[in-house]
Amino acid sequence: MDTRASLGSSDSTTSTDLDAGLSALEKQFITLAAELDREPADLGERVGEYLTAEDEAVLARLDPIERAIMETPAYTVRGLSVKARHLAYVLSEYWEAPIDQIEWQGRAIRLLVEAICNIADAPLHIREPRFGK
């Protein structure tokens, strides 16, 4: 997690502490999402196919964390970036093609998420696009 926002503060309670809960949820989310991404095949491609019992168990543990991220209010740009990165994960198909080939709604979501992440100086970790594949 990016801690630069709190490094220059002399106040013992920094603005990033307001979203400490969201940051903790994001860490849990990233850990579990990495378990699903352990294979090169995209989960979205496997959903219609056979999901292993292990995948199903990870998805069951991931569900309450995702719901908590969506339901927890953001109070800082950092917290908003947690929510934006989660949205990018959920709607990852909007990063699978060049932006000029995405429908209007997808472009709007993609550009908004990327702007939030840029302002928060929080990298958006999306798999490499599969343009032309």
Side-chain angles (χ1 to χ4, degrees):
M1 295 291 112
D2 188 4
T3 58
R4 286 178 277 175
S6 63
L7 292 178
S9 176
S10 59
D11 186 344
S12 62
T13 305
T14 64
S15 64
T16 57
D17 290 340
L18 294 173
D19 284 322
L22 272 172
S23 294
L25 287 167
E26 182 181 45
K27 286 179 186 178
Q28 293 173 33
F29 175 80
I30 289 169
T31 299
L32 289 172
E35 288 184 39
L36 290 173
D37 291 340
R38 70 190 177 284
E39 297 180 25
D42 181 49
L43 179 65
E45 294 171 0
R46 292 187 293 169
V47 168
E49 300 172 10
Y50 175 74
L51 283 177
T52 66
E54 182 181 332
D55 289 336
E56 289 178 3
V58 172
L59 288 169
R61 292 185 356 241
L62 196 56
D63 181 66
I65 295 167
E66 289 191 86
R67 289 178 188 279
I69 289 171
M70 290 187 292
E71 294 169 3
T72 302
Y75 297 101
T76 66
V77 172
R78 178 75 181 142
L80 186 60
S81 74
V82 170
K83 292 171 119 10
R85 286 190 302 279
H86 175 256
L87 180 62
Y89 182 86
V90 171
L91 298 175
S92 62
E93 66 269 16
Y94 294 144
W95 280 264
E96 291 179 353
I99 197 157
D100 62 344
Q101 295 177 11
I102 299 170
E103 65 185 57
W104 186 254
Q105 178 181 348
R107 285 185 201 188
I109 290 169
R110 180 171 162 175
L111 291 170
L112 178 61
V113 166
E114 290 175 353
I116 291 168
C117 291
N118 285 337
I119 289 170
D121 195 23
L124 180 60
H125 300 289
I126 296 287
R127 285 191 198 104
E128 288 298 313
R130 291 174 276 174
F131 303 147
K133 293 184 181 176

